Amino acid sequence: MITHRPDDVPVGLRALIRDRAFLSILAFAIVIRIGIAIWPVIHHADEVWQYLEPAYHLGVGPWVMTWEAREGARSWLLPMLFAGPTALGYAIAPGSALPIILPRLVCGVISFGTIFGAVALGARLSRTHAMVAAVIATTWFEIAYFSSRTLSEPIATACFVAAAAALLVDRPPRWTVIGGALLGACCLVRFQYAPAVGILALWAGRLDGSRWRAMILGGVGAAIIAGAADLAGGAWPFMWIVRNFTLNLIDNRSAAFGVDPPWRYLVDIWDLWGWAVVPILILAVVGARRYPVLLVAAVVNLAIHALVPHKEYRFILLTTTLIVLLAGIGSIDLAARFRKTPTTGWIIAGWVLLSIACGATGDSTRTWGQNPELLAAWRVAGSQPQACGIAVYRPVEPIVGSYALFGRTAPIYQYGDDAQADARSSRAFDLVMTSADRAGDLPGYRLVDCPYAKRRYCVYARPGPCVKAPRTPGSRSTGCWNARASNGRARVTATSR
């Protein structure tokens, strides 16, 4: 078994690229991220309606517009990033999962910023540190799970870790510009990470004016790209930050989706990591001796998010990622105190087993199977070649309609409990998505498929063409949907284009 002293001289990335063990880790990282991309799971509604849906609109056609988009509280940067892959997927295989898989693969590629950033931080210390950091960034269950999710948190985290490597490792001045650009991108993808970004920038710049100028130059470059994306989306550059801050933190709109106490994230970490949280935190403190700024940034990021009433665990992905990476570095340093030549293989095996244990037990198990039935039902609907329109009839969730999930430009109609008569009389659609116990309300439809045992999202079809009813004053069009929040619940209403 190969052993290395933790106090070996630093190793360069070029040397690691020629290292077969390191290349094997990278190959495994690729496999994991492809697997996560095609895994039939929707982690959160934002993954679809805040990012994939506007990307579908930019690249293909109609979309479901959320209230945040209508209020101008969302950036167009990520939808612009995903628009090309979404359009390509639609052109190759309309109605399939490809328009979703390709943007996820883009996120998977971006997630390598976390891997290479972690490796560079470890390589500054030794090959052993680099290898352990590579394995953790590749296999730790949270980092792996979120790597191919179309969400802002994993992308911002990848930018932050890569920026840390560019700014904290001795490199030519141009890397300071790159680090500044990555920090700017981190803020512009998720502005809530700005306090952590500020701490890293202060540490890296200190009183060195040349480094500050280089970082600012890089940040301005990132801002130009993000501003151009907003302009292309028809919005004033960066105004979404003001609107988002005003609506969610001052007007407290986000509280409608749930409010938790400040210590909620600590409970969540305990629920996901269990007793492993104790050694991880101890090792993170040990590892922070190498990079204290990363621990400070992680704690500040956690504290800032703890003050916001509405909480979701993914919001603190930056914190948990930095903690486990520091813990990986700390595990090498601690092992060196008890053994002059700590065995790299055993340490790597321990981290992999710990990740499997945390990811396969407790609350983590629910993460791997969220919303598969909804995704499967839309895949069934999208695969029907004759589809000329689909009705979401009396859905069990308030927001179900999605062109990105449907993968077609045929009209989507949604009927609530108070519109049963309208649904029965309409011939504007030939497909219906509803729960199995409500299918009898619409005679003349045959079952196409009812994925999963819960039978909450079944697809039914009828023969014959679609006949769009003539429009009358005051009638509603389904060209564009607007998802609004009302009294803590969301409703979907059709608006004319």
Side-chain angles (χ1 to χ4, degrees), residues 247-333:
L247 290 170
N248 287 323
L249 296 180
I250 297 179
D251 296 344
N252 209 22
R253 282 272 195 104
S254 62
F257 302 100
V259 174
D260 292 295
W263 57 85
R264 177 65 200 186
Y265 286 125
L266 299 179
V267 175
D268 289 340
I269 292 174
W270 178 267
D271 289 340
L272 291 174
W273 293 1
W275 285 103
V277 71
V278 176
I280 289 175
L281 291 180
I282 293 174
L283 292 173
V285 172
V286 175
R289 295 178 58 195
R290 303 283 196 168
Y291 297 108
V293 63
L294 297 185
L295 182 60
V296 174
V299 173
V300 168
N301 185 66
L302 177 63
I304 292 296
H305 283 80
L307 297 176
V308 180
H310 177 62
K311 295 175 176 61
E312 295 175 27
Y313 185 72
R314 61 189 170 94
F315 291 170
I316 61 166
L317 179 64
L318 175 61
T319 293
T320 55
T321 298
L322 293 178
I323 287 176
V324 294
L325 291 179
L326 287 173
I329 292 174
S331 64
I332 301 297
D333 291 347

Side-chain angles (χ1 to χ4, degrees), residues 51-64:
Y51 301 110
L52 290 177
E53 198 69 17
Y56 190 88
H57 167 62
L58 292 171
V60 181
W63 65 315
V64 175

Side-chain angles (χ1 to χ4, degrees), residues 4-28:
H4 298 276
R5 289 179 58 83
D7 57 347
D8 284 347
V9 296
V11 60
L13 288 179
R14 291 183 179 179
L16 283 175
I17 291 175
R18 296 190 295 268
D19 191 312
R20 291 185 179 180
F22 179 67
L23 292 177
S24 299
I25 295 172
L26 290 185
F28 190 49

